[in-house]
Amino acid sequence: MNPRPLVRSLGQLLVAATVAALLVAAWTTWRIWDVGNRDERPRADAIVVLGAAQYNGRPSTILKARLEHAIDLYESGVAPYLVVTGGKADGDVTTEAAAARTLAIARGVPATAILSEDRGRTTLESLHSVAAILHDHGLQTAVFVSDRTHMLRVLRIARDEGMTAYGSPTATSPSDSTLDDRLRATVHEIGGLALYFVTGETP
């Protein structure tokens, strides 16, 4: 039996699969950057800030950039409520949500205007809980704040959770402050989206 036709077919299949994977990655990259460059800020019921690392109550530069943008939206009258999110990692003494809440109050946001989701350790966990919080408070529409590369995944999950979601990414996050940083973040998001579509889970 001549193995050459089989080898040739396998080689063609491998080339086709590689080309398909590259096309999907290119399309996803374009979608991540396109959505991340849009700033939607309609009047809404709430502004939701995605959590990021904190250090003993001190927000990381990424969390601070997200929160400051969200506070600017709140002060501009985009929504009457600010929802802070994020639980804590092993060994942490407080949560991302608590650190964000403290900073928001220090910046003049009334405590009564802040709602907290403080258990989520992933984007999916946080947004699942945010959907319940909005429902319990009779809130339907929300503007979501995160990094530019994160927005596509955030909005997809939020809409899958039944929320009417808009995106207003921060442009000052160090996660995409340079082209190299943005490319690394984009690769991470391609992986996160692939995991979500295949398994329903997400980092």
Side-chain angles (χ1 to χ4, degrees):
M1 179 178 178
N2 188 350
R4 290 183 179 178
L6 177 60
V7 172
R8 186 181 303 112
S9 296
L10 290 175
Q12 291 171 343
L13 182 62
L14 179 61
V15 170
T18 301
V19 171
L22 290 173
L23 288 174
V24 170
W27 167 253
T28 306
T29 297
W30 180 81
R31 286 285 294 143
I32 289 170
W33 286 35
D34 179 55
V35 172
N37 286 328
R38 298 179 194 172
D39 189 357
E40 304 171 303
R41 50 175 76 194
R43 289 298 301 271
D45 295 327
I47 300 160
V48 180
V49 190
L50 274 295
Q54 55 79 34
Y55 309 103
N56 294 325
R58 179 173 58 85
S60 63
T61 52
I62 293 176
L63 180 55
K64 188 175 180 182
R66 295 177 183 181
L67 190 59
E68 288 179 344
H69 181 69
I71 292 170
D72 288 342
L73 295 179
Y74 174 82
E75 292 175 342
S76 297
V78 169
Y81 287 99
L82 182 65
V83 184
V84 293
T85 70
K88 62 181 179 178
D90 293 339
D92 284 351
V93 297
T94 188
T95 64
E96 295 168 3
R101 177 184 174 86
T102 298
L103 181 56
I105 291 173
R107 280 281 307 271
V109 179
T112 53
I114 303 174
L115 305 175
S116 296
E117 181 289 306
D118 60 3
R119 294 189 177 183
R121 292 297 301 137
T122 68
T123 300
L124 180 60
E125 289 175 356
S126 287
L127 292 180
H128 182 73
S129 296
V130 166
I133 290 171
L134 295 184
H135 179 268
D136 290 346
H137 287 80
L139 308 176
Q140 297 180 342
T141 59
V143 175
F144 289 80
V145 175
S146 191
D147 304 337
R148 288 181 290 190
T149 51
H150 194 203
M151 287 310 309
L152 177 61
R153 182 156 56 101
V154 168
L155 293 178
R156 176 56 190 258
I157 295 172
R159 289 163 183 163
D160 286 349
E161 290 289 334
M163 292 176 276
T164 302
Y166 305 92
S168 183
T170 176
T172 60
S173 174
S175 71
D176 58 10
S177 59
T178 68
L179 180 58
D180 284 347
D181 290 334
R182 196 168 191 186
L183 287 172
R184 279 193 292 269
T186 299
V187 171
H188 174 78
E189 286 305 314
I190 290 173
L193 285 163
L195 182 65
Y196 179 64
F197 289 135
V198 173
T199 69
E201 299 296 329
T202 184

